[in-house]
PDB file of all heavy atoms in Angstrom:
ATOM      1  N   ASN A   1      74.755   5.743  43.680  1.00 48.00           N
ATOM      2  CA  ASN A   1      73.343   5.433  43.585  1.00 48.00           C
ATOM      3  C   ASN A   1      72.460   6.684  43.604  1.00 48.00           C
ATOM      4  O   ASN A   1      71.394   6.715  43.026  1.00 48.00           O
ATOM      5  CB  ASN A   1      72.933   4.509  44.741  1.00 48.00           C
ATOM      6  CG  ASN A   1      73.508   3.113  44.563  1.00 48.00           C
ATOM      7  OD1 ASN A   1      73.846   2.714  43.458  1.00 48.00           O
ATOM      8  ND2 ASN A   1      73.608   2.375  45.645  1.00 48.00           N
ATOM      9  N   THR A   2      72.926   7.744  44.292  1.00 51.00           N
ATOM     10  CA  THR A   2      72.113   8.963  44.380  1.00 51.00           C
ATOM     11  C   THR A   2      71.992   9.680  43.033  1.00 51.00           C
ATOM     12  O   THR A   2      71.105  10.499  42.841  1.00 51.00           O
ATOM     13  CB  THR A   2      72.744   9.945  45.389  1.00 51.00           C
ATOM     14  OG1 THR A   2      74.089  10.219  45.027  1.00 51.00           O
ATOM     15  CG2 THR A   2      72.700   9.343  46.792  1.00 51.00           C
ATOM     16  N   ASP A   3      72.865   9.350  42.111  1.00 73.00           N
ATOM     17  CA  ASP A   3      72.829   9.985  40.791  1.00 73.00           C
ATOM     18  C   ASP A   3      71.857   9.275  39.846  1.00 73.00           C
ATOM     19  O   ASP A   3      71.546   9.823  38.793  1.00 73.00           O
ATOM     20  CB  ASP A   3      74.214   9.984  40.153  1.00 73.00           C
ATOM     21  CG  ASP A   3      75.203  10.835  40.923  1.00 73.00           C
ATOM     22  OD1 ASP A   3      74.802  11.858  41.482  1.00 73.00           O
ATOM     23  OD2 ASP A   3      76.373  10.444  40.943  1.00 73.00           O
ATOM     24  N   ARG A   4      71.440   8.104  40.156  1.00 82.00           N
ATOM     25  CA  ARG A   4      70.770   7.246  39.171  1.00 82.00           C
ATOM     26  C   ARG A   4      69.456   7.812  38.640  1.00 82.00           C
ATOM     27  O   ARG A   4      69.168   7.641  37.438  1.00 82.00           O
ATOM     28  CB  ARG A   4      70.536   5.861  39.775  1.00 82.00           C
ATOM     29  CG  ARG A   4      71.807   5.085  39.983  1.00 82.00           C
ATOM     30  CD  ARG A   4      71.539   3.662  40.422  1.00 82.00           C
ATOM     31  NE  ARG A   4      72.760   2.877  40.375  1.00 82.00           N
ATOM     32  CZ  ARG A   4      72.790   1.557  40.255  1.00 82.00           C
ATOM     33  NH1 ARG A   4      71.677   0.889  40.160  1.00 82.00           N
ATOM     34  NH2 ARG A   4      73.941   0.901  40.215  1.00 82.00           N
ATOM     35  N   SER A   5      68.713   8.453  39.458  1.00 75.00           N
ATOM     36  CA  SER A   5      67.395   8.938  38.994  1.00 75.00           C
ATOM     37  C   SER A   5      67.546  10.029  37.943  1.00 75.00           C
ATOM     38  O   SER A   5      66.585  10.354  37.219  1.00 75.00           O
ATOM     39  CB  SER A   5      66.570   9.470  40.165  1.00 75.00           C
ATOM     40  OG  SER A   5      67.235  10.603  40.752  1.00 75.00           O
ATOM     41  N   LYS A   6      68.738  10.616  37.828  1.00 80.00           N
ATOM     42  CA  LYS A   6      68.979  11.668  36.863  1.00 80.00           C
ATOM     43  C   LYS A   6      69.700  11.151  35.620  1.00 80.00           C
ATOM     44  O   LYS A   6      69.977  11.927  34.698  1.00 80.00           O
ATOM     45  CB  LYS A   6      69.807  12.800  37.499  1.00 80.00           C
ATOM     46  CG  LYS A   6      69.150  13.433  38.707  1.00 80.00           C
ATOM     47  CD  LYS A   6      70.051  14.479  39.315  1.00 80.00           C
ATOM     48  CE  LYS A   6      69.418  15.094  40.572  1.00 80.00           C
ATOM     49  NZ  LYS A   6      70.316  16.091  41.197  1.00 80.00           N
ATOM     50  N   GLN A   7      70.036   9.858  35.613  1.00 94.00           N
ATOM     51  CA  GLN A   7      70.811   9.297  34.509  1.00 94.00           C
ATOM     52  C   GLN A   7      69.890   8.617  33.511  1.00 94.00           C
ATOM     53  O   GLN A   7      69.226   7.614  33.813  1.00 94.00           O
ATOM     54  CB  GLN A   7      71.819   8.277  35.054  1.00 94.00           C
ATOM     55  CG  GLN A   7      72.778   8.829  36.092  1.00 94.00           C
ATOM     56  CD  GLN A   7      73.764   9.819  35.490  1.00 94.00           C
ATOM     57  OE1 GLN A   7      74.214   9.651  34.363  1.00 94.00           O
ATOM     58  NE2 GLN A   7      74.104  10.840  36.246  1.00 94.00           N
ATOM     59  N   SER A   8      69.817   9.151  32.293  1.00 97.00           N
ATOM     60  CA  SER A   8      68.978   8.542  31.261  1.00 97.00           C
ATOM     61  C   SER A   8      69.826   7.654  30.352  1.00 97.00           C
ATOM     62  O   SER A   8      71.011   7.898  30.146  1.00 97.00           O
ATOM     63  CB  SER A   8      68.269   9.616  30.432  1.00 97.00           C
ATOM     64  OG  SER A   8      69.203  10.385  29.721  1.00 97.00           O
ATOM     65  N   ILE A   9      69.181   6.619  29.841  1.00 98.00           N
ATOM     66  CA  ILE A   9      69.845   5.630  28.998  1.00 98.00           C
ATOM     67  C   ILE A   9      69.103   5.546  27.665  1.00 98.00           C
ATOM     68  O   ILE A   9      67.879   5.460  27.641  1.00 98.00           O
ATOM     69  CB  ILE A   9      69.834   4.243  29.681  1.00 98.00           C
ATOM     70  CG1 ILE A   9      70.583   4.289  31.010  1.00 98.00           C
ATOM     71  CG2 ILE A   9      70.438   3.169  28.759  1.00 98.00           C
ATOM     72  CD1 ILE A   9      70.464   3.002  31.833  1.00 98.00           C
ATOM     73  N   VAL A  10      69.861   5.590  26.589  1.00 98.00           N
ATOM     74  CA  VAL A  10      69.311   5.382  25.241  1.00 98.00           C
ATOM     75  C   VAL A  10      69.954   4.142  24.663  1.00 98.00           C
ATOM     76  O   VAL A  10      71.195   3.994  24.665  1.00 98.00           O
ATOM     77  CB  VAL A  10      69.531   6.589  24.321  1.00 98.00           C
ATOM     78  CG1 VAL A  10      68.980   6.303  22.931  1.00 98.00           C
ATOM     79  CG2 VAL A  10      68.887   7.839  24.886  1.00 98.00           C
ATOM     80  N   ILE A  11      69.126   3.252  24.145  1.00 98.00           N
ATOM     81  CA  ILE A  11      69.588   1.984  23.604  1.00 98.00           C
ATOM     82  C   ILE A  11      69.169   1.883  22.137  1.00 98.00           C
ATOM     83  O   ILE A  11      67.969   1.942  21.833  1.00 98.00           O
ATOM     84  CB  ILE A  11      69.001   0.788  24.378  1.00 98.00           C
ATOM     85  CG1 ILE A  11      69.313   0.933  25.872  1.00 98.00           C
ATOM     86  CG2 ILE A  11      69.524  -0.527  23.832  1.00 98.00           C
ATOM     87  CD1 ILE A  11      68.362   0.161  26.760  1.00 98.00           C
ATOM     88  N   LEU A  12      70.120   1.750  21.248  1.00 98.00           N
ATOM     89  CA  LEU A  12      69.824   1.509  19.839  1.00 98.00           C
ATOM     90  C   LEU A  12      69.930   0.007  19.591  1.00 98.00           C
ATOM     91  O   LEU A  12      70.937  -0.603  19.924  1.00 98.00           O
ATOM     92  CB  LEU A  12      70.842   2.249  18.950  1.00 98.00           C
ATOM     93  CG  LEU A  12      70.773   1.930  17.458  1.00 98.00           C
ATOM     94  CD1 LEU A  12      69.493   2.456  16.837  1.00 98.00           C
ATOM     95  CD2 LEU A  12      71.988   2.511  16.729  1.00 98.00           C
ATOM     96  N   THR A  13      68.868  -0.576  19.009  1.00 98.00           N
ATOM     97  CA  THR A  13      68.937  -1.997  18.693  1.00 98.00           C
ATOM     98  C   THR A  13      68.723  -2.203  17.203  1.00 98.00           C
ATOM     99  O   THR A  13      67.998  -1.479  16.546  1.00 98.00           O
ATOM    100  CB  THR A  13      67.889  -2.819  19.474  1.00 98.00           C
ATOM    101  OG1 THR A  13      66.548  -2.435  19.070  1.00 98.00           O
ATOM    102  CG2 THR A  13      68.058  -2.630  20.975  1.00 98.00           C
ATOM    103  N   GLY A  14      69.405  -3.241  16.698  1.00 96.00           N
ATOM    104  CA  GLY A  14      69.294  -3.614  15.293  1.00 96.00           C
ATOM    105  C   GLY A  14      68.948  -5.083  15.145  1.00 96.00           C
ATOM    106  O   GLY A  14      68.609  -5.771  16.118  1.00 96.00           O
ATOM    107  N   ALA A  15      69.056  -5.573  13.941  1.00 93.00           N
ATOM    108  CA  ALA A  15      68.607  -6.937  13.627  1.00 93.00           C
ATOM    109  C   ALA A  15      69.305  -8.002  14.426  1.00 93.00           C
ATOM    110  O   ALA A  15      68.762  -9.071  14.656  1.00 93.00           O
ATOM    111  CB  ALA A  15      68.809  -7.197  12.145  1.00 93.00           C
ATOM    112  N   GLY A  16      70.531  -7.710  14.904  1.00 93.00           N
ATOM    113  CA  GLY A  16      71.290  -8.703  15.645  1.00 93.00           C
ATOM    114  C   GLY A  16      70.625  -9.174  16.925  1.00 93.00           C
ATOM    115  O   GLY A  16      70.818 -10.326  17.319  1.00 93.00           O
ATOM    116  N   ILE A  17      69.826  -8.320  17.569  1.00 96.00           N
ATOM    117  CA  ILE A  17      69.194  -8.736  18.807  1.00 96.00           C
ATOM    118  C   ILE A  17      68.013  -9.668  18.528  1.00 96.00           C
ATOM    119  O   ILE A  17      67.649 -10.492  19.390  1.00 96.00           O
ATOM    120  CB  ILE A  17      68.752  -7.527  19.662  1.00 96.00           C
ATOM    121  CG1 ILE A  17      68.464  -7.974  21.104  1.00 96.00           C
ATOM    122  CG2 ILE A  17      67.561  -6.822  19.055  1.00 96.00           C
ATOM    123  CD1 ILE A  17      68.252  -6.828  22.081  1.00 96.00           C
ATOM    124  N   SER A  18      67.409  -9.561  17.361  1.00 95.00           N
ATOM    125  CA  SER A  18      66.259 -10.415  17.025  1.00 95.00           C
ATOM    126  C   SER A  18      66.670 -11.693  16.294  1.00 95.00           C
ATOM    127  O   SER A  18      65.867 -12.623  16.173  1.00 95.00           O
ATOM    128  CB  SER A  18      65.236  -9.644  16.173  1.00 95.00           C
ATOM    129  OG  SER A  18      64.672  -8.597  16.930  1.00 95.00           O
ATOM    130  N   LYS A  19      67.898 -11.749  15.823  1.00 93.00           N
ATOM    131  CA  LYS A  19      68.336 -12.944  15.085  1.00 93.00           C
ATOM    132  C   LYS A  19      68.252 -14.194  15.949  1.00 93.00           C
ATOM    133  O   LYS A  19      67.842 -15.261  15.442  1.00 93.00           O
ATOM    134  CB  LYS A  19      69.781 -12.739  14.587  1.00 93.00           C
ATOM    135  CG  LYS A  19      70.306 -13.913  13.756  1.00 93.00           C
ATOM    136  CD  LYS A  19      71.705 -13.629  13.224  1.00 93.00           C
ATOM    137  CE  LYS A  19      72.173 -14.792  12.353  1.00 93.00           C
ATOM    138  NZ  LYS A  19      73.537 -14.531  11.817  1.00 93.00           N
ATOM    139  N   GLU A  20      68.579 -14.061  17.225  1.00 93.00           N
ATOM    140  CA  GLU A  20      68.552 -15.246  18.094  1.00 93.00           C
ATOM    141  C   GLU A  20      67.132 -15.679  18.445  1.00 93.00           C
ATOM    142  O   GLU A  20      66.935 -16.723  19.039  1.00 93.00           O
ATOM    143  CB  GLU A  20      69.364 -14.982  19.353  1.00 93.00           C
ATOM    144  CG  GLU A  20      70.860 -14.882  19.078  1.00 93.00           C
ATOM    145  CD  GLU A  20      71.647 -14.636  20.340  1.00 93.00           C
ATOM    146  OE1 GLU A  20      71.857 -15.607  21.093  1.00 93.00           O
ATOM    147  OE2 GLU A  20      72.054 -13.479  20.581  1.00 93.00           O
ATOM    148  N   SER A  21      66.146 -14.865  18.068  1.00 95.00           N
ATOM    149  CA  SER A  21      64.738 -15.269  18.206  1.00 95.00           C
ATOM    150  C   SER A  21      64.248 -15.960  16.940  1.00 95.00           C
ATOM    151  O   SER A  21      63.093 -16.372  16.887  1.00 95.00           O
ATOM    152  CB  SER A  21      63.878 -14.036  18.493  1.00 95.00           C
ATOM    153  OG  SER A  21      64.138 -13.535  19.797  1.00 95.00           O
ATOM    154  N   GLY A  22      65.103 -16.031  15.923  1.00 91.00           N
ATOM    155  CA  GLY A  22      64.731 -16.741  14.690  1.00 91.00           C
ATOM    156  C   GLY A  22      64.349 -15.844  13.547  1.00 91.00           C
ATOM    157  O   GLY A  22      63.922 -16.344  12.482  1.00 91.00           O
ATOM    158  N   LEU A  23      64.471 -14.539  13.694  1.00 90.00           N
ATOM    159  CA  LEU A  23      64.164 -13.612  12.595  1.00 90.00           C
ATOM    160  C   LEU A  23      65.395 -13.345  11.754  1.00 90.00           C
ATOM    161  O   LEU A  23      66.489 -13.183  12.295  1.00 90.00           O
ATOM    162  CB  LEU A  23      63.617 -12.290  13.145  1.00 90.00           C
ATOM    163  CG  LEU A  23      62.247 -12.394  13.851  1.00 90.00           C
ATOM    164  CD1 LEU A  23      61.817 -11.034  14.341  1.00 90.00           C
ATOM    165  CD2 LEU A  23      61.187 -12.972  12.928  1.00 90.00           C
ATOM    166  N   ASP A  24      65.217 -13.270  10.450  1.00 76.00           N
ATOM    167  CA  ASP A  24      66.322 -13.065   9.539  1.00 76.00           C
ATOM    168  C   ASP A  24      66.909 -11.656   9.698  1.00 76.00           C
ATOM    169  O   ASP A  24      66.180 -10.692   9.916  1.00 76.00           O
ATOM    170  CB  ASP A  24      65.870 -13.242   8.085  1.00 76.00           C
ATOM    171  CG  ASP A  24      65.500 -14.669   7.769  1.00 76.00           C
ATOM    172  OD1 ASP A  24      66.005 -15.575   8.418  1.00 76.00           O
ATOM    173  OD2 ASP A  24      64.674 -14.867   6.821  1.00 76.00           O
TER     174      ASP A  24
END
């Protein structure tokens, strides 16, 4: 847990995450 403030996260998202919201 002491390392967490120094750990950065990058997330790439594509069309698949919006498909379940009804977007083509």
